Amino acid sequence: MSSVRTATPQTARAINDRIALELLTEHGPLTAARLRELTGLSRPSVAELLGRLGRDGLVDVVGETGAERRGPNARVYGLVADRAHVAALDVRFDRVELALADLAGATVATRTLPLVDAADAADAAGVAGVAGVAGPASGGQHPMVAAVLAALDEIGDAAGVVEPHTVALGAPGLADPATGALRFSDALPAWHRELLAALRENLDAPVLLENEVNLAAIAEHRLGAARDRDTFVLLWLGAGVGAAVVLDGALRRGASGGAGEVGFLPVPGRAGLPSATDCEAGFHGLVSGAAVRALAVEHGLEVGELAPGELAGPDRPVAEAAERGDGPSGAFLDELAGRVALGAASAVAVLDPGCVVLGGEVGRAGGAALAARVAERLSAISPLDTEVRAATVTGNPILGGALVTALAAARADLFATDR
């Protein structure tokens, strides 16, 4: 007996609906004639499809054009962008950044909440007590948690959004792929985990958790330097150090969510080895923000004062060195590139990704100048051909990756083929 199953007419219609919605999302408003060209469907099929999607509130007529044919103008159909909204959060040690976007991906509201403003926000929300970064307020919700919940309500009200369809949150630490929980560490503020729990308790919407570096890789894959790559490694160089692995178009998190913890890599040039709880003697100690600033000082470069709450501020000396490119600046970039190449070589030897993207504050500040130097040093210690690129996503790549993640989940639900 044959195991081949023929799709039912209902399933075929649902698949066609989803294809049409994805085309409208990718290309913007289209005429029925253009949809026929892109889908290969007949005129009656496209007409029925547009009718169904219109009744579901997903597609509407957004204009007319006379360029397609003689006679009456042709209707132009577009995705109903305000059919649903998604929210994204980038949770830092010292702040939380929020964004709200419609179903078409257009950002309709943003907000940044510095930790120092949490007390005022808590007063406005009626929360008693103020706590430091390490723990919750006595007798109530941590003020930063209350501030984020209040900000979500405020930007939603301003945009006319009752509640987001999906929320994606990016944070330091490990996001357990099995449970969707934040694997807690003493290095993380206690309010991070409290915020995740509060969002899931207070919102009638899925709240997705992802590691910050993984979200930056998703942003570079969809919007930035790796748009033409389905396999690459993003090396995050900032105050902290990490990596994200994308293989065959899929993000690989590892068994516990720890894939890419390259800060713990044992590397030459360090006194001793990293431990399970301290990565300073590993790759982290060579290329962390503090290490980059110290290296800049060794080469006689001006590093400037750190702003209040700034953890490392390594991007300024790197950007200035990349612009000058010679003398002490060139020597500094050469030594930094050699250090970065050590960590990149380990990822290349195991994964052979063909492409390494340098992200984080240092990777973006170094740009093409640093990427070229890393590529040169990497080619000297690895037999595998590997292109090195600088990250190109503008703005906050973590927030951008969170928006991409939330939109993908919302569209998968709303464009479901089993509607």
Side-chain angles (χ1 to χ4, degrees):
M1 180 182 296
S2 172
S3 61
V4 176
R5 300 179 63 185
T6 303
T8 66
Q10 182 179 3
T11 301
R13 286 195 298 270
I15 292 172
N16 290 336
D17 287 359
R18 177 157 188 168
I19 291 172
L21 288 164
E22 289 173 347
L23 288 169
L24 289 169
T25 300
E26 180 181 357
H27 296 284
L30 299 168
T31 63
R34 183 59 178 149
L35 274 173
R36 291 199 301 274
E37 293 176 9
L38 293 172
T39 61
L41 295 173
S42 66
R43 183 187 298 269
S45 295
V46 168
E48 291 176 6
L49 174 155
L50 290 171
R52 287 193 300 272
L53 296 179
R55 289 190 294 273
D56 287 344
L58 291 169
V59 169
D60 201 359
V61 176
V62 296
E64 293 184 344
T65 178
E68 298 288 331
R69 57 177 182 173
R70 295 179 179 179
N73 291 345
R75 292 180 175 180
V76 178
Y77 297 87
L79 184 71
V80 179
D82 60 1
R83 172 70 167 75
H85 290 76
V86 300
L89 294 87
D90 174 21
V91 183
R92 307 283 86 206
F93 288 91
D94 61 338
R95 68 187 185 280
V96 175
E97 295 186 36
L98 305 93
L100 192 69
D102 63 26
L103 194 57
T107 300
V108 298
T110 60
R111 183 65 55 84
T112 297
L113 299 175
L115 185 62
V116 293
D117 292 342
D120 293 339
D123 290 340
V127 178
V130 176
V133 176
S138 58
Q141 201 172 46
H142 191 285
M144 197 61 178
V145 175
V148 172
L149 293 175
L152 275 174
D153 284 342
E154 182 181 339
I155 64 176
D157 289 345
V161 179
V162 176
E163 186 165 282
H165 179 283
T166 305
V167 178
L169 180 151
L174 305 184
D176 193 317
T179 64
L182 182 65
R183 293 187 62 193
F184 198 59
S185 164
D186 291 339
L188 295 178
W191 62 266
H192 280 202
R193 187 168 58 178
E194 184 184 340
L195 174 59
L196 178 62
L199 289 169
R200 288 175 170 166
E201 180 180 347
N202 286 273
L203 297 178
D204 187 22
V207 178
L208 312 176
L209 173 69
E210 188 57 83
N211 171 266
E212 56 182 350
V213 180
N214 286 345
L215 289 177
I218 289 171
E220 293 296 337
H221 188 210
R222 178 65 189 276
L223 309 169
R227 281 178 292 180
D228 61 337
R229 292 279 186 170
D230 278 341
T231 295
F232 69 97
V233 168
L234 180 134
L235 197 58
W236 182 269
L237 306 169
V241 181
V245 178
V246 176
L247 301 178
D248 298 325
L251 181 68
R252 307 296 180 177
R253 300 174 178 84
S256 63
E261 287 294 318
V262 294
F264 288 88
L265 278 174
V267 292
R270 304 298 294 159
L273 295 171
S275 71
T277 57
D278 187 357
C279 59
E280 188 60 34
F283 183 54
H284 173 92
L286 281 181
V287 295
S288 68
V292 172
R293 283 176 62 88
L295 182 63
V297 171
E298 289 177 19
H299 285 272
L301 304 184
E302 178 61 46
V303 298
E305 296 294 326
L306 292 177
E310 193 172 14
L311 298 178
D315 52 321
R316 283 173 289 176
V318 173
E320 291 174 2
E323 184 176 352
R324 292 171 184 160
D326 57 7
S329 293
F332 162 67
L333 283 181
D334 286 340
E335 186 169 349
L336 176 58
R339 293 183 178 191
V340 173
L342 290 175
S346 297
V348 168
V350 175
L351 299 171
D352 186 18
C355 180
V356 172
V357 177
L358 304 183
E361 296 90 344
V362 168
R364 295 170 71 183
L370 179 61
R373 284 172 163 83
V374 173
E376 180 181 356
R377 282 146 188 81
L378 181 59
S379 67
I381 58 178
S382 171
L384 304 175
D385 291 336
T386 307
E387 186 177 3
V388 180
R389 303 176 177 179
T392 60
V393 170
T394 58
N396 183 335
I398 299 169
L399 201 63
L403 282 175
V404 169
T405 299
L407 281 167
R411 289 169 181 167
D413 177 46
L414 293 171
F415 301 177
T417 58
D418 59 353
R419 288 183 303 110

Tab-separated table of all heavy atoms in Angstrom, residues 195-222:
chain	number	residue	atom	x	y	z
A	195	LEU	N	11.678	39.453	36.324
A	195	LEU	CA	11.016	40.110	35.204
A	195	LEU	C	10.411	39.085	34.259
A	195	LEU	O	9.267	39.240	33.814
A	195	LEU	CB	12.010	40.994	34.452
A	195	LEU	CG	11.503	41.639	33.166
A	195	LEU	CD1	10.290	42.528	33.440
A	195	LEU	CD2	12.609	42.442	32.491
A	196	LEU	N	11.148	38.048	33.942
A	196	LEU	CA	10.628	37.012	33.052
A	196	LEU	C	9.370	36.386	33.639
A	196	LEU	O	8.364	36.212	32.939
A	196	LEU	CB	11.697	35.938	32.828
A	196	LEU	CG	11.286	34.750	31.954
A	196	LEU	CD1	10.944	35.205	30.541
A	196	LEU	CD2	12.406	33.709	31.919
A	197	ALA	N	9.395	36.063	34.922
A	197	ALA	CA	8.222	35.473	35.568
A	197	ALA	C	7.045	36.444	35.576
A	197	ALA	O	5.896	36.045	35.342
A	197	ALA	CB	8.578	35.051	36.992
A	198	ALA	N	7.327	37.716	35.824
A	198	ALA	CA	6.245	38.713	35.879
A	198	ALA	C	5.606	38.907	34.510
A	198	ALA	O	4.379	39.054	34.394
A	198	ALA	CB	6.792	40.036	36.406
A	199	LEU	N	6.413	38.918	33.464
A	199	LEU	CA	5.852	39.062	32.119
A	199	LEU	C	4.936	37.887	31.787
A	199	LEU	O	3.840	38.068	31.251
A	199	LEU	CB	6.981	39.148	31.088
A	199	LEU	CG	7.805	40.442	31.081
A	199	LEU	CD1	9.041	40.280	30.201
A	199	LEU	CD2	6.963	41.611	30.594
A	200	ARG	N	5.380	36.684	32.098
A	200	ARG	CA	4.574	35.504	31.796
A	200	ARG	C	3.318	35.434	32.658
A	200	ARG	O	2.298	34.894	32.227
A	200	ARG	CB	5.428	34.248	31.976
A	200	ARG	CG	6.462	34.084	30.868
A	200	ARG	CD	7.395	32.916	31.071
A	200	ARG	NE	8.199	32.692	29.854
A	200	ARG	CZ	9.269	31.940	29.799
A	200	ARG	NH1	9.703	31.318	30.894
A	200	ARG	NH2	9.942	31.793	28.668
A	201	GLU	N	3.366	36.021	33.825
A	201	GLU	CA	2.200	36.002	34.711
A	201	GLU	C	1.193	37.085	34.337
A	201	GLU	O	-0.018	36.878	34.436
A	201	GLU	CB	2.654	36.194	36.164
A	201	GLU	CG	1.509	36.188	37.173
A	201	GLU	CD	1.987	36.368	38.599
A	201	GLU	OE1	3.204	36.253	38.849
A	201	GLU	OE2	1.130	36.629	39.473
A	202	ASN	N	1.694	38.248	33.908
A	202	ASN	CA	0.813	39.390	33.680
A	202	ASN	C	0.302	39.533	32.257
A	202	ASN	O	-0.669	40.264	32.031
A	202	ASN	CB	1.543	40.682	34.078
A	202	ASN	CG	1.653	40.850	35.583
A	202	ASN	OD1	0.763	41.385	36.228
A	202	ASN	ND2	2.761	40.380	36.145
A	203	LEU	N	0.960	38.874	31.312
A	203	LEU	CA	0.551	39.005	29.919
A	203	LEU	C	-0.142	37.738	29.440
A	203	LEU	O	0.308	36.635	29.712
A	203	LEU	CB	1.766	39.282	29.030
A	203	LEU	CG	2.538	40.576	29.280
A	203	LEU	CD1	3.732	40.655	28.349
A	203	LEU	CD2	1.636	41.792	29.106
A	204	ASP	N	-1.223	37.927	28.710
A	204	ASP	CA	-1.911	36.791	28.098
A	204	ASP	C	-1.340	36.588	26.698
A	204	ASP	O	-2.046	36.656	25.693
A	204	ASP	CB	-3.416	37.067	28.039
A	204	ASP	CG	-4.194	35.853	27.558
A	204	ASP	OD1	-3.670	34.721	27.677
A	204	ASP	OD2	-5.314	36.040	27.043
A	205	ALA	N	-0.025	36.359	26.652
A	205	ALA	CA	0.690	36.221	25.386
A	205	ALA	C	1.931	35.379	25.621
A	205	ALA	O	2.487	35.373	26.726
A	205	ALA	CB	1.083	37.593	24.848
A	206	PRO	N	2.376	34.646	24.606
A	206	PRO	CA	3.629	33.897	24.763
A	206	PRO	C	4.788	34.858	25.013
A	206	PRO	O	4.895	35.899	24.356
A	206	PRO	CB	3.790	33.182	23.418
A	206	PRO	CG	2.447	33.218	22.771
A	206	PRO	CD	1.773	34.456	23.273
A	207	VAL	N	5.647	34.510	25.967
A	207	VAL	CA	6.854	35.294	26.250
A	207	VAL	C	8.050	34.389	25.971
A	207	VAL	O	8.290	33.425	26.684
A	207	VAL	CB	6.881	35.800	27.704
A	207	VAL	CG1	8.176	36.576	27.960
A	207	VAL	CG2	5.674	36.687	27.983
A	208	LEU	N	8.766	34.704	24.907
A	208	LEU	CA	9.895	33.893	24.469
A	208	LEU	C	11.190	34.453	25.030
A	208	LEU	O	11.410	35.666	25.015
A	208	LEU	CB	9.965	33.875	22.935
A	208	LEU	CG	8.658	33.581	22.197
A	208	LEU	CD1	8.875	33.690	20.690
A	208	LEU	CD2	8.137	32.200	22.565
A	209	LEU	N	12.058	33.573	25.513
A	209	LEU	CA	13.338	33.977	26.083
A	209	LEU	C	14.463	33.503	25.181
A	209	LEU	O	14.453	32.359	24.709
A	209	LEU	CB	13.510	33.376	27.482
A	209	LEU	CG	14.886	33.570	28.130
A	209	LEU	CD1	15.103	35.035	28.492
A	209	LEU	CD2	15.026	32.690	29.375
A	210	GLU	N	15.450	34.381	24.941
A	210	GLU	CA	16.612	33.985	24.149
A	210	GLU	C	17.849	34.702	24.661
A	210	GLU	O	17.763	35.836	25.154
A	210	GLU	CB	16.382	34.316	22.663
A	210	GLU	CG	17.434	33.777	21.718
A	210	GLU	CD	17.584	32.272	21.844
A	210	GLU	OE1	16.777	31.544	21.220
A	210	GLU	OE2	18.499	31.838	22.570
A	211	ASN	N	18.981	34.040	24.563
A	211	ASN	CA	20.248	34.655	24.921
A	211	ASN	C	20.514	35.854	24.019
A	211	ASN	O	20.222	35.845	22.830
A	211	ASN	CB	21.367	33.619	24.788
A	211	ASN	CG	22.744	34.222	24.922
A	211	ASN	OD1	23.368	34.558	23.936
A	211	ASN	ND2	23.199	34.382	26.144
A	212	GLU	N	21.103	36.885	24.584
A	212	GLU	CA	21.318	38.137	23.858
A	212	GLU	C	22.185	37.964	22.612
A	212	GLU	O	21.900	38.549	21.550
A	212	GLU	CB	21.975	39.152	24.804
A	212	GLU	CG	23.267	38.620	25.414
A	212	GLU	CD	23.914	39.576	26.383
A	212	GLU	OE1	23.492	40.735	26.460
A	212	GLU	OE2	24.875	39.160	27.057
A	213	VAL	N	23.250	37.174	22.709
A	213	VAL	CA	24.142	37.002	21.564
A	213	VAL	C	23.447	36.216	20.454
A	213	VAL	O	23.622	36.491	19.264
A	213	VAL	CB	25.454	36.316	21.991
A	213	VAL	CG1	26.391	36.129	20.797
A	213	VAL	CG2	26.153	37.143	23.073
A	214	ASN	N	22.623	35.246	20.838
A	214	ASN	CA	21.842	34.511	19.833
A	214	ASN	C	20.916	35.448	19.068
A	214	ASN	O	20.743	35.316	17.849
A	214	ASN	CB	21.026	33.407	20.503
A	214	ASN	CG	21.874	32.228	20.945
A	214	ASN	OD1	23.018	32.087	20.522
A	214	ASN	ND2	21.325	31.378	21.789
A	215	LEU	N	20.320	36.392	19.780
A	215	LEU	CA	19.425	37.346	19.102
A	215	LEU	C	20.200	38.255	18.155
A	215	LEU	O	19.710	38.595	17.076
A	215	LEU	CB	18.671	38.183	20.140
A	215	LEU	CG	17.595	37.451	20.939
A	215	LEU	CD1	16.980	38.375	21.978
A	215	LEU	CD2	16.516	36.885	20.028
A	216	ALA	N	21.404	38.638	18.549
A	216	ALA	CA	22.228	39.454	17.652
A	216	ALA	C	22.551	38.674	16.380
A	216	ALA	O	22.564	39.249	15.277
A	216	ALA	CB	23.514	39.879	18.364
A	217	ALA	N	22.793	37.373	16.511
A	217	ALA	CA	23.065	36.543	15.328
A	217	ALA	C	21.835	36.441	14.440
A	217	ALA	O	21.936	36.484	13.206
A	217	ALA	CB	23.526	35.152	15.759
A	218	ILE	N	20.663	36.304	15.049
A	218	ILE	CA	19.419	36.261	14.270
A	218	ILE	C	19.252	37.560	13.487
A	218	ILE	O	18.858	37.556	12.313
A	218	ILE	CB	18.223	36.022	15.210
A	218	ILE	CG1	18.253	34.579	15.755
A	218	ILE	CG2	16.897	36.293	14.497
A	218	ILE	CD1	17.238	34.309	16.846
A	219	ALA	N	19.562	38.692	14.132
A	219	ALA	CA	19.453	39.981	13.444
A	219	ALA	C	20.431	40.076	12.278
A	219	ALA	O	20.076	40.541	11.192
A	219	ALA	CB	19.695	41.118	14.437
A	220	GLU	N	21.676	39.623	12.480
A	220	GLU	CA	22.656	39.681	11.399
A	220	GLU	C	22.272	38.734	10.261
A	220	GLU	O	22.516	39.033	9.092
A	220	GLU	CB	24.053	39.335	11.927
A	220	GLU	CG	24.641	40.352	12.886
A	220	GLU	CD	24.888	41.708	12.258
A	220	GLU	OE1	25.034	41.784	11.014
A	220	GLU	OE2	24.936	42.714	12.994
A	221	HIS	N	21.651	37.608	10.596
A	221	HIS	CA	21.244	36.647	9.569
A	221	HIS	C	20.092	37.195	8.736
A	221	HIS	O	20.060	37.024	7.509
A	221	HIS	CB	20.827	35.335	10.239
A	221	HIS	CG	20.583	34.220	9.274
A	221	HIS	ND1	19.687	33.206	9.514
A	221	HIS	CD2	21.101	33.945	8.057
A	221	HIS	CE1	19.684	32.365	8.493
A	221	HIS	NE2	20.527	32.796	7.602
A	222	ARG	N	19.165	37.849	9.389
A	222	ARG	CA	17.983	38.345	8.686
A	222	ARG	C	18.186	39.735	8.084
A	222	ARG	O	17.681	40.033	6.996
A	222	ARG	CB	16.797	38.367	9.652
A	222	ARG	CG	15.511	38.904	9.063
A	222	ARG	CD	14.960	38.025	7.959
A	222	ARG	NE	13.862	38.661	7.280
A	222	ARG	CZ	12.588	38.616	7.715
A	222	ARG	NH1	12.301	37.972	8.832
A	222	ARG	NH2	11.637	39.213	7.045
